[in-house]
Amino acid sequence: MKKIIVAIDGYSSCGKSTMAKALAKEVGYAYIDTGAMYRAVALFAKRLGFLTEQKIDEERLKKALTDIEISFRLNKDGVSETFLGEEKVEKMIRNMEMASGASRVSELKFVRQVLVAQQQAMGIEKGIVMDGRDIGTVVFPQAELKIFVTATPEIRAKRRYEELVAKGESVVFEEVLQGTIERDYRDTHRVESPLVQAADALILDNSEMSLAEQQEWLKNRFFEVCNE
Ligand code: DC
């Protein structure tokens, strides 16, 4: 069976990473969550004082980025976790503050250049499932299988809200919905690599689908391409 690159793009909180992770595990591919890389940059920038609510100190962030080391390591349960240098930052990047920070740093061309180069290096041997916003358009335009995932903002906000509540965060649904709409706007309207569907991507609207149905759908597409 041939080894391929699976590129999964789409709006925030549409279940891309859950699907991508499940497929990677099932077929023995590496899984890369590129959103986590932008979140790690946001955390890195915030800690250095280069990212505040008011502004981003682009000059200093650009210099500091030459030293950034983002990696993914499997924990003892086989789950991929994000590291900044030697520090596990998986939990720290999964909140609304880092989601918004990631959305802001992801608008910067130099940030995208650094991360895209790292992502391309990770896929050099194929056998990878990568999710994000620009994977099928910029990172791997040659990917053999491209999926563009979408669902209504209300459904995505509900999923994100339930996730955050389950993690013990105190959140208000309307604020999560507002955050989702604002991120959609920023992701699709930024100058650098806005979120767009690649011309050759398959669309998956999962508003009315269960997780099991989505995973089955993705697995079928994967084997169709691998067995071509
Ligand atoms: O998928 P996520 O919510 O973890 O992504 C966080 C932010 O990073 C999101 O607002 C868009 C940005 N992002 C991006 O611009 N390009 C990617 N390939 C992945 C994420």
Side-chain angles (χ1 to χ4, degrees), residues 34-35 38-39 102-103 106 112 132-135 183 187 190:
T34 61
Y38 289 92
R39 287 169 183 258
S103 179
S106 72
R112 302 203 72 86
R133 306 291 190 287
D134 58 344
I135 313 305
R183 281 214 289 161
D187 288 349
R190 64 177 177 229

Side-chain angles (χ1 to χ4, degrees), residues 45-221:
K46 187 188 166 217
R47 283 176 168 177
L48 290 170
F50 303 159
L51 169 69
T52 62
E53 276 192 21
Q54 289 73 36
K55 70 182 283 268
I56 302 178
D57 186 335
E58 294 186 29
E59 276 312 301
R60 292 169 76 197
L61 176 59
K62 192 173 183 174
K63 281 204 189 94
L65 265 194
T66 50
D67 291 334
I68 196 166
E69 273 178 41
I70 302 169
S71 60
F72 296 96
R73 301 182 194 172
L74 294 181
N75 69 13
K76 61 175 175 21
D77 300 319
V79 177
S80 172
E81 295 180 321
T82 314
F83 280 72
L84 197 49
E86 286 304 310
E87 183 190 1
K88 182 163 79 180
V89 294
E90 186 58 38
K91 278 221 177 81
M92 283 169 245
I93 60 172
R94 305 291 174 190
N95 56 37
M96 282 173 66
E97 187 191 1
M98 287 306 129
S100 150
S103 179
R104 287 168 61 207
V105 296
S106 72
E107 292 177 339
L108 303 171
K109 186 174 183 168
F110 64 88
V111 171
R112 302 203 72 86
Q113 281 171 337
V114 169
L115 296 191
V116 167
Q118 293 185 3
Q119 291 153 10
Q120 288 172 333
M122 291 169 181
I124 212 136
E125 291 183 13
K126 300 200 177 189
I128 193 166
V129 183
M130 192 174 276
D131 77 36
R133 306 291 190 287
D134 58 344
I135 313 305
T137 49
V138 177
V139 182
F140 296 123
Q142 78 283 20
E144 290 85 351
L145 177 59
K146 298 183 187 177
I147 312 290
F148 189 85
V149 194
T150 172
T152 65
E154 289 72 19
I155 286 185
R156 289 184 284 122
K158 184 166 172 280
R159 291 175 185 159
R160 177 58 62 111
Y161 172 79
E162 285 166 359
E163 238 174 67
L164 292 169
V165 169
K167 276 197 276 180
E169 279 205 41
S170 91
V171 280
V172 178
F173 175 74
E174 283 66 31
E175 285 175 13
V176 179
L177 176 59
Q178 193 52 35
T180 305
I181 293 168
E182 281 167 17
R183 281 214 289 161
D184 284 359
Y185 186 86
R186 271 208 298 268
D187 288 349
T188 51
H189 286 77
R190 64 177 177 229
V191 178
E192 293 303 325
S193 313
L195 170 64
V196 279
Q197 185 205 326
D200 52 350
L202 304 174
I203 297 188
L204 174 66
D205 182 337
N206 65 14
S207 303
E208 308 286 331
M209 285 169 93
S210 69
L211 265 182
E213 284 168 341
Q214 293 168 53
Q215 280 160 15
E216 186 64 18
W217 181 90
L218 181 60
K219 199 173 75 178
N220 291 338
R221 301 293 82 73

